Amino acid sequence: MAVVVHSLALVGTVLMIVYLAFLVQAAFRRQSRMEQLHRDESAVLRARLDLITAPLAKVVNDKTQSAWAGFRKFRVEGKVLEAESCCSFYLAPHDGRPLPPYLPGQYLTFRLTVPEQQRELTRCYSLSDSPDHTDYYRVTIKRIPPPRNVENAPSGVVSSHFHDRIQVGDILDVKAPSGHFHLDVESRAPVVLIGGGIGITPALSMLNYLASAPGKRDVWFFYGVRNGREHILKDYLREIAEQNPNIRLSVCYSDPLPSDRPGQDYDFAERVSVDLFKKLLGVNNYEFYICGPPPMMASLTADLGKWGVPENRIHVEAFGPASVKKVAKPDAAVLEAASGAEVTFVRSNKTVPWSGTAGSLLELAEAHGIRIDSGCRAGSCGTCVTAIRDGKVEYLAGKPDFDIEKGSCLACVAVPRGALSLDA
C-alpha cells in the first residue's frame, strides 16, 4: 500500500512539473508574441513617421542639390494686383526645366536694367507661396512710397519699375532662392507667424507650406496693416484658416477706415503686440517668426524677451530695409579698436582712415569716390562681395544672410577690425 501511495505521489509530482513547464512555455510564447507585436507596431509607427518627415527632409536636401549658380532667365507668367500698390508676379523658368524647392521664408535676388539708371540694380524679394510648386515661383512686391515729410522725393526705384514696366512675357534675371530666415520644416513645435504690411510675404510662404504639410502643426497667423486698402489676399487668408482647424488667423488694423467691418475684414483695431499674444495664446511656448517694419520688429522682439521667450525661438526677417538687424551695431569695443585704423583700397590706390561714423566699408568707399558694386545694401544679395587682401572685418549684425566665401567680405554690412586691405 505504501508503495502505491509513493508511486501516486511521484506521478503527481511529475504531472505538476509538466504542468508548470507548460505554463512557463505558454508564458514565453505570450511574451514572444507581445514582443513581436510591439516590434510590428514600432515598425508601422516608424513607417508612418517616415511618410510624415520625408517630404520635409526632401525640401531641405533638394534645395542644396539642384539650385543653380549665378543668374537664370525667368519669364513673367502672371501679374496680379493684390491690394492698393501691391502686385504678385508669377515667374516660370525660361528654359522650362523644373525648379528646385526652397525653404519657406527665403527670397529671390533680381538683377534689373532700369531706365535712367546708370548701372544695373539688384534687389531681393521674398517668395510668397509654398515651395511645393515646381513650375513657378511667386513674389509679391509693394510699391515703396516716397519718404514722409520729404518734398518731391521719388517712390522706390525698383518697386516702381516692377509695377509700372514689368509685364507678362518679360524676361528677368534671377538668382536661386536663398536666405537664413526660414521656417524650421523639421520641427514639430507650434508656430506663431507675424507679418506687418508687406512683411506678410515670407510669413505667407510659411503659412501655405504648413497648410499642406503632414503633421498639422499648431499655427497662429497675425497680420497687421493700417486698413483694408493694404489688406492683401483677404478672402484667401480667411479660406485657408477655415479649411485648416490647426490654423488660427488674427488680422489687426491699426487705423481702420469707416468702411472696414470689424469681425469680417479685421479682428482687432490695434497693432500686433505681445499683449495681444498673451491674451490669445496664453502661453509663450511657440516658435515666433516676425517680418515687418523696423519699429514693429524691434518692439516685438524686445517684448517677447520680457515675456520669457528664449532668443533662439524668436526669428526675424534678416534682409532689406525692413530688417531689425539692419539697425544693429557691432560691439562698442570693436568700433573703438578700429577707430583710426587705415583701410587700403588696393586697386583704387587709396588709403583712408576709418571712423565709426562711416557706417560701413561700402559707405566709406563711396565717400572717397571708390566704386564697389552694391545691391540690397543689407547683406543679402552678395553684389558687394569684396576680396580681403589683409586684415579682418566685423559685421553690423552678426552673420550676414548671404553666405560668404572665406577670404571675402560683404562691404555693405562690414566694418574693419583694425588695419584692413581690400581688393577694390
Side-chain angles (χ1 to χ4, degrees):
M1 188 68 176
V3 172
V4 172
V5 171
H6 178 72
S7 298
L8 290 174
L10 182 60
V11 170
T13 301
V14 170
L15 290 174
M16 180 61 70
I17 292 172
V18 171
Y19 179 67
L20 289 174
F22 172 78
L23 291 179
V24 170
Q25 288 178 354
F28 275 125
R29 283 196 297 269
R30 283 197 300 272
Q31 179 67 23
S32 179
R33 284 198 299 271
M34 291 296 292
E35 289 176 353
Q36 182 61 45
L37 180 61
H38 178 70
R39 285 194 294 269
D40 291 344
E41 289 177 344
S42 297
V44 171
L45 180 59
R46 282 195 301 272
R48 288 176 178 171
L49 288 174
D50 288 343
L51 287 175
I52 292 173
T53 59
L56 307 183
K58 185 177 186 299
V59 170
V60 176
N61 294 332
D62 285 1
K63 69 126 186 157
T64 56
Q65 293 171 1
S66 54
W68 64 93
F71 286 92
R72 183 176 175 184
K73 299 291 183 183
F74 278 73
R75 184 179 185 273
V76 179
E77 294 289 344
K79 180 179 179 180
V80 179
L81 184 66
E82 304 288 8
E84 187 176 83
S85 300
C86 189
C87 271
S88 285
F89 295 84
Y90 291 79
L91 312 170
H94 190 249
D95 58 17
R97 298 173 61 189
L99 294 173
Y102 56 90
L103 292 167
Q106 292 190 305
Y107 59 86
L108 295 177
T109 301
F110 293 82
R111 183 177 63 194
L112 302 142
T113 300
V114 180
E116 301 178 1
Q117 297 296 313
Q118 296 181 352
R119 55 180 176 173
E120 291 178 325
L121 300 180
T122 306
R123 292 292 187 274
C124 302
Y125 291 105
S126 293
L127 289 146
S128 60
D129 209 344
S130 170
D132 294 337
H133 304 288
T134 59
D135 56 342
Y136 74 86
Y137 288 149
R138 185 181 75 181
V139 293
T140 304
I141 300 172
K142 179 182 179 180
R143 185 196 298 272
I144 303 301
R148 295 180 182 180
N149 305 320
V150 179
E151 292 186 8
N152 302 319
S155 298
V157 173
V158 174
S159 64
S160 295
H161 176 70
F162 266 96
H163 278 256
D164 298 338
R165 298 189 182 94
I166 300 300
Q167 302 298 333
V168 172
D170 287 347
I171 305 296
L172 301 175
D173 291 330
V174 185
K175 278 187 177 181
S178 184
H180 299 146
F181 175 72
H182 56 73
L183 184 71
D184 181 355
V185 295
E186 295 190 324
S187 173
R188 313 307 315 152
V191 178
V192 175
L193 306 176
I194 306 156
I198 196 58
I200 189 179
T201 53
L204 186 59
S205 176
M206 298 178 191
L207 178 71
N208 287 347
Y209 174 78
L210 289 167
S212 61
K216 299 302 180 184
R217 292 165 70 177
D218 186 20
V219 180
W220 279 88
F221 189 89
F222 290 88
Y223 179 32
V225 291
R226 282 185 295 182
N227 50 56
R229 289 177 182 166
E230 300 179 357
H231 191 161
I232 71 171
L233 298 169
K234 181 188 300 181
D235 294 336
Y236 173 77
L237 289 172
R238 290 294 181 192
E239 181 181 343
I240 202 171
E242 290 171 1
Q243 293 179 353
N244 295 273
N246 61 307
I247 295 175
R248 282 161 286 189
L249 173 68
S250 291
V251 177
C252 297
Y253 285 4
S254 61
D255 187 19
L257 298 170
S259 58
D260 291 332
R261 301 161 297 174
Q264 297 184 53
D265 298 316
Y266 65 97
D267 302 299
F268 301 97
E270 60 184 274
R271 299 181 187 277
V272 178
S273 67
V274 173
D275 286 338
L276 183 60
F277 299 161
K278 291 177 180 178
K279 182 166 63 175
L280 297 181
L281 306 180
V283 295
N284 66 359
N285 60 333
Y286 289 80
E287 294 282 339
F288 293 85
Y289 292 86
I290 312 168
C291 183
M296 172 189 177
M297 293 203 293
S299 63
L300 286 178
T301 52
D303 291 345
L304 284 171
K306 293 175 184 176
W307 193 23
V309 180
E311 187 176 345
N312 64 358
R313 289 202 275 115
I314 304 173
H315 313 276
V316 294
E317 184 267 6
F319 78 89
S323 173
V324 72
K325 293 186 178 182
K326 184 76 168 81
V327 299
K329 300 296 182 185
D331 186 86
V334 173
L335 288 177
E336 184 177 353
S339 182
E342 290 188 335
V343 178
T344 300
F345 297 92
V346 177
R347 284 192 286 164
S348 300
N349 196 28
K350 289 186 178 181
T351 298
V352 296
W354 168 263
S355 72
T357 60
S360 69
L361 287 168
L362 175 62
E363 292 168 296
L364 178 71
E366 291 174 337
H368 290 85
I370 300 165
R371 177 172 173 173
I372 295 178
D373 287 337
S374 64
C376 67
R377 306 180 78 91
S380 301
C381 69
T383 305
C384 67
V385 169
T386 306
I388 299 173
R389 293 283 193 95
D390 190 37
K392 295 181 179 180
V393 301
E394 186 84 5
Y395 287 102
L396 291 171
K399 184 181 179 181
D401 214 35
F402 183 86
D403 292 320
I404 316 157
E405 294 181 357
K406 186 177 180 180
S408 296
C409 71
L410 293 175
C412 72
V413 288
V415 297
R417 295 187 63 181
L420 181 68
S421 177
L422 297 176
D423 187 39

